[in-house]
Amino acid sequence: MSYAAYKMKHWPTGIEHCAAGFITHCPSDAAAFSAPAPGPAASPSGAESDADSSAAARRPRRLGPTPNLVVAAANVLEVYAVRADAAPAEDGAAFDGILGARLELVCHYRLHGNVESMAVLSDGAENRRDSIALAFRDAKITCLEFDDAIYGLRTSSMHCFEGPEWQHLKRGRESFAWGPVIKSDPLGRCGAALIYGLQMAILKAAQVGQSLVGEDEPTRALSSSAVRVESSYLIDLRALETNHVKDFTFVHGYIEPVLVILHEREPTWAGRISSKHHTCMISAFSISMTLKQHPVIWSAANLPHDAYQILSVPPPISGVLVVCANSIHYHSQSTSCSLALNNFSSQPDGSPEIPKLNFHVELDAAKATWLSNDIVMFSTKTGEMLLLTVVYDGRTVRRLDLMKSKASVISSGATTIGSSFFFLGSRLGDSLLVQFSCGVATSVLPDLIDERSGDIEGDLPFAKRLKRVPSDVLQDVTSVEELSFQNNILPNSIESAQKISYVVRDKLINVGPLKDFSYGLRVNADANATGNAKQSNYELVCCSGHGKNGSLSVLQQSIRPDLITEVELPSCRGIWTVYYKSSRAHTTEDNEYHAYLIISLENRTMVDCIEVPTQKPKAGIGDGPQKTVFWESRNFRVLETGDDLGEVTETVDYYVQGATIAAGNLFGRRRVIQVYATGARVLDGSFMTQELNFTAHSSESSSSSSELLGVASASIADPYVLLKMVDGTIQLLVGDHSTCALSISVPSIFTNLSEKVSACTLYRDRGPEPWLRKTRSDAWLSSGIAEPIDGSGSSSQEQSDIYCIICYESGKLEIFEVPSFRCVFSVESFLSGEALLVDAKGRQDDTKVSLKKEVADSIRVVELAMHRWSGQFSRPFLFGLLNDGTFLCYHAYCYEGLESNVKDNSFSPAGSVDLASASDSRLKNLRFHRISVDITLREDISSLARPRITIFNNVGGYEGLFLSGTRPVWVMVCRQRFRVHPQLCDGPIEAFTVLHNVNCCHGLIYVTSQGFLKICQLPEAYNYDNYWPVQKIPLHGTPHQVTYYAEQSLYPLIVSVPVVRPLNQVLSIMADQDLVHHMDNDATSADDLQKTYTVEEFEVRVLELEKPSGRWETRSTIPMQSFENALTVRIVTLHNTTTKENETLMAIGTAYVQGEDVAARGRVLLFSFTKSENSQNLVTEVYSKESKGAVSAVASLQGHLLIAAGPKITLSKWTGSELTAVAFYDAPLHVVSLNIVKNFVLFGDIHKSVYFLSWKEQGSQLTLLAKDFGSLDCFATEFLIDGSTLNLAVSDSDKNLQIFYYAPKMVESWKGQKLLSRAEFHVGAHLTKFMRLQMLPSPGLASEKTNRFALLFGTLDGGIGCIAPIDELTFRRLQSLQRKLVDAVPHVCGLNPRSFRQFKSNGKAHRPGPDNIIDFELLAHYEMLSLEEQLDIAQQIGTTRAQILSNFADISLGTSFL
């Protein structure tokens, strides 16, 4: 292998930065739309509105406008809207007037750079939006604002202080501990960024009215413009004698912006505290941006050396809080006060005593957010939540009060969202959205106390999903107790008893940090699977999280449904399930059972009656066996699941002599419609009430004018059925609710069409307020006609409009109202996949380049679908499938452009109802923006193929669509975003439908291409709202390493749990006897020895995934000795020299951690597994020996055991009871990883890069073949095998990846001593583990190498990706494409992908290696370009679009390991 591809498969989930701001709407938008809360107390209430949602969320007035949440996880940036469901006034279960709240995604970007710091620029004005300011490594700052026209973020300014002209700012330094830090002024006048540690960049905001929008445009466009940055300049902090800056912030309450900087005059360290302790100080600078002057206006010195954070106190108090590890200090221009947190806090000499807490707490590494103007919440390093009250009188702060509150996730950031929510972002656990309330009436709380995880969440589908995920996050936040806030000293002066209560409303799943993972079989694995389907037998079991948030994450890339029953059914072409309401039934629409299953074979149709019991069962399985009834043309068979066929004689009126095209329900589920090639039948139960035959409506063929015309496809939306005929014409069946009968009508607009229709569908826009009505230019005066649906009465306010979406063979797309067939929206070229779809009416742009003719002829849209899933704020999606396998996906949004005020005289088609309103009724404000979905279908689909897209509203509690075909895929809609999960386990899938009945609750039926009909359910244990389906098993400890024992499907796992021990016990174990004696004589008071100390206790747990239930059980636990850390656990195969047999053992390497005064020791432990099922002990210890140095890695090498102990690597043979050393090699410092292939050994050293050894049996020697002479802090190493070539991959502490090779014949290898670099790449995340997995041979790869392996890796951010070898031809093609895309694609934040992927040496000497890795993160943009641009770029690099896309598909297929 000389070339490789880097491809992310699961993006980072560990949230590092979070902030709240009005990004998509301004605060006044929320007040503009208000709706009274239902119930007796209908008080007018302010409600939040998104850029498009005028349907107001009913909520109490005190909630106020809710800002957006912006989160960043490594290089992923996401903006969420907080959706709260208000409760009716009399609802007692609501918490503070809110039933539930959830986060909905607004936009999502993957950047070419990691976000180092984030701030929201806000000027607090009611009609201005906020901007996001992001800082990137070295010194790049980008400001983003939300643009309604594209429904996404747009870069408003970029500031870069890098490159030769800014080189002097570094003052000769090359490496910096952190990237730039950015903060913003509370009134939005400016922002400040600290770059290179000593330069402060001031970003001056543009004045209102001087933004980039011209003055002469209407003020409506300006009214919600965002804060923008106008210019920037630098302040050199060294000139102000402000060295060693630790933190800075802007303070409230001054006319000009005031920047307070926390800095250290002379640095000190722990060993010098006795002589040099209060070294920090704060200085306040008044920033005058016009004069570029910054005088010091006040300062405070003698702050503790461990001060690390500075918080600005909101008005009316203002001033700053300085947070230290052991104390908190308040300072303003006039007053100051302090609070000591534990016994380690000290005062400067001669200063008064400061008040102490009555409990001990350490505040280092705490995150803080203000819940109100005088209460700040700290989230500590242990996950505790502390509340600090600033007790004030007027503007004088009297004292600080701190109290313990709750425990929650260990957070990496906290932000308050509006007046009722805060968000805890976490890298180590799931991030939480928490609703808080200051002082809730106690009557609300009793309902909530018992239920620990589920029903507090509010809206049910979400609660169901959250119940599945074990709630490891909030040990005691969810059980809402009263938090009383007693101030003991001043009774009733300010707040005598402040109560704060919490409810967790939503959580974002995080699987990071992935320290280690292993690859094992699933519970429902299929032993007979081969090829690609075999891959979905496996799952990834990962160590993720830390401390109490530690968990085992089980990840699967593809879904394998749980099988209930299967039937062999060859040549099946389609399946449908339909409802049947005999009378006006009493079941709710959501929970009604299906009545019939219609199966279309190639030349006939079968109908099964799914028996429904008369009484509704309790949730669970019904009594007898499930009966499936097959009807054929003459006889009627009952097929029980026991497979015995019994004849029953009865006739049904379904059309069974040929294939069915479509089936569904009409007239509120009282009738079933069945469409077949030459006609349609309407059935009441099993009795036909009407039959229609379709004839050609043009009388040109005089020979047989009544010639039957075939139906190609059909779309059903009650009460209409849209038919597309084989000849590309359209017919509409119109239903009449009163008679339940259909009539055929051919819309006059389609009678003399010049071009054929390539795809069409109906869309039913329903709800209390149909969404598309909002996008009309006359939306404010249109009011829909309510129609009774299902006659249940309760849903009488449901209204629905029907639209018909049609795509012609030319690629033009039009949306019509039904039944008038007035065109309301049209797009010239839908199939080219533009980023935005805008109504083309009235816009004549002839500049559009026509597609290259030969391509335009071959590409067609073969299928369309449009759907809006549940949710008050949801918007419709539009899908298109092209015949080359491209899947286009668009999300609708409403944008009131400036030109919508201008009336244009639109041409009205003949037969339109009302000429005057034709122009007004267009959906002028409707736009669609394209969404990227990672789906590789790549197959030719004929235009007469069966429909592939099946939309489902409830399969196991999830909604979305299923795409059948050769690579079937689930697209689930969670939080208005797509989660794409392939399903590989059965190969190609012909047809799919949902099934809900007694025995299969919210399940599914699909037919495989091998001819099996399978009835299944989604596996319950998994949460699908993640990049991959995930199941988290809480461990309540930190997992360190996991390995897999395949014979018994066991997972040995190292876990450490923090345990509190008395200090004297800890000291006696650690120290020598004379030291203890010395301590007793020393002046240690008895009080000191009563203290406690937290130690990590290690154990190895052997976990098993129980087969039927899917629960994880601990089968055995091996505790370590005190102060012994387990460092590695591996399954090794050793050759027993006594019995001459191979044994599989579990090897554990440990180290004793006893401080730097005691020489390091470790142990090697070997355990054997018992074969018998019923034995008490699953594992028994067979060997244990102490060694000098920590045993950091073990591996088996050709039946011998290789042990890395301290700086020595030893190879030992196993006699059955003893390990005897046969060879050794001296490593430089400390071995972090060992890998073995045949007789080759690769190991990574903690500082000295990688070494490549070989083992020779005859001379019993480990010899060094070659090494890397550079210095490198290794994280993980592994062999990369491509056919017969062997490469060595290594990841390092600077987030790079390097690939080396051994070439003794090359001159530059110094006669083979030196490993040569083959490729290098900056990943942007710490890779902690590589796993070598065999690639699947895919049909398109030129070199059919069977022995080709890819490396799967996990990162500390929660990302998973792979490095795959590729052949030279593919590499050259994709590399030239990659170079083109650097310029061809507009990159978010203006970041350059090439500079991001360059090797970062962080100031160390490094010779650049070859650039032989292609970046799929950049190549992924190619599929999102429009068709014209794709063809153009492919032509420029001398290849074809089809060739590029097939290369993409091959690599994607070859690396789909799970």
Side-chain angles (χ1 to χ4, degrees), residues 638-646:
V638 182
L639 173 74
E640 295 195 358
T641 39
D643 279 351
D644 49 329
L645 295 172

Side-chain angles (χ1 to χ4, degrees), residues 874-886:
S874 66
R875 312 191 308 278
F877 289 94
L878 172 67
F879 307 99
L881 191 60
L882 308 189
N883 59 356
D884 67 343
T886 309

Side-chain angles (χ1 to χ4, degrees), residues 1295-1453:
K1295 307 185 178 181
N1296 301 309
L1297 166 92
Q1298 275 174 285
I1299 299 176
F1300 293 103
Y1301 67 109
Y1302 174 58
K1305 297 199 173 85
M1306 304 274 280
V1307 180
E1308 56 265 40
S1309 73
W1310 303 348
K1311 296 186 179 169
Q1313 298 175 52
K1314 184 172 188 247
L1315 288 172
L1316 300 178
S1317 173
R1318 179 149 268 167
E1320 60 183 29
F1321 189 79
H1322 181 70
V1323 177
H1326 287 121
L1327 308 189
T1328 48
K1329 160 88 177 199
F1330 288 114
M1331 176 172 281
R1332 196 171 63 236
L1333 294 172
Q1334 185 151 10
M1335 284 178 73
L1336 305 165
S1338 55
L1341 284 178
S1343 57
E1344 285 289 346
K1345 290 183 180 168
T1346 48
N1347 193 26
R1348 178 170 261 193
F1349 288 79
L1351 296 183
L1352 196 70
F1353 61 77
T1355 75
L1356 288 183
D1357 301 316
I1360 298 169
C1362 70
I1363 302 286
I1366 54 175
D1367 52 273
E1368 183 170 4
L1369 188 66
T1370 311
F1371 172 78
R1372 296 277 176 235
R1373 180 183 301 123
L1374 296 182
Q1375 189 186 39
S1376 42
L1377 171 64
Q1378 179 175 306
R1379 288 179 180 149
K1380 270 273 177 273
L1381 289 177
V1382 172
D1383 306 325
V1385 177
H1387 301 295
V1388 188
C1389 297
L1391 294 164
N1392 186 338
R1394 274 188 64 190
S1395 76
F1396 177 48
R1397 294 307 185 188
Q1398 265 170 350
F1399 188 92
K1400 308 277 190 292
S1401 61
N1402 199 13
K1404 295 192 276 286
H1406 174 77
R1407 280 190 61 190
D1411 174 23
N1412 284 344
I1413 297 186
I1414 49 172
D1415 177 18
F1416 262 85
E1417 288 293 276
L1418 173 57
L1419 292 175
H1421 289 289
Y1422 181 74
E1423 298 186 71
M1424 286 299 289
L1425 294 172
S1426 69
L1427 191 58
E1428 293 85 357
E1429 293 169 301
Q1430 289 185 21
L1431 295 166
D1432 201 27
I1433 289 178
Q1435 190 182 20
Q1436 286 172 19
I1437 62 173
T1439 179
T1440 61
R1441 169 178 179 266
Q1443 179 67 61
I1444 291 172
L1445 293 179
S1446 85
N1447 285 154
F1448 285 2
D1450 289 341
I1451 290 169
S1452 177
L1453 271 171

Side-chain angles (χ1 to χ4, degrees), residues 1128-1132 1145-1149 1164-1167 1194 1201:
T1128 179
V1129 59
R1130 289 289 175 248
I1131 301 294
V1132 292
L1145 304 172
M1146 175 169 71
I1148 300 173
V1164 179
L1165 305 168
L1166 292 179
F1167 289 83
V1194 291
L1201 183 64

Side-chain angles (χ1 to χ4, degrees), residues 553-566:
S553 297
V554 185
L555 290 160
Q556 308 180 344
Q557 192 182 350
S558 60
I559 290 181
R560 176 181 278 277
D562 288 336
L563 187 68
I564 296 177
T565 177
E566 65 175 323

